[in-house]
Amino acid sequence: MFENAVANLALTGEPAERAAERLRQASAHWLRHTAGSHMMDRQVDLRYVRDNLGHASISTTSQYLHADDDDRHRATESGLKLNW
């Protein structure tokens, strides 16, 4: 799959070379990590993600928690508003 993507990028010329180089380094683990990240982004229960990925520890799975900076800022700001 990655080789096909690299080949298609090569057809687009030099602007896509950086993306093609990145894909040449890709692995099946990338797909696994991406799946875990997407599950967390869609707020799948952390325990289910842990079980789906076969982790023994919930702390290993917690690495897939990615808070968007803007979302984190909004949540923090709303929690700290002063009602003057």
Side-chain angles (χ1 to χ4, degrees), residues 2-3 5-7 9-10 16-27 30:
F2 293 126
E3 289 176 17
V6 169
L9 283 170
E17 184 55 37
R18 184 173 176 196
E21 184 56 38
R22 185 94 166 110
L23 276 178
R24 285 186 188 100
Q25 300 169 19
S27 68
W30 276 25

Side-chain angles (χ1 to χ4, degrees), residues 42 44 61 71-72 79 81:
R42 286 169 180 76
V44 173
T61 310
D71 289 343
R72 185 174 52 244
K81 281 190 178 180

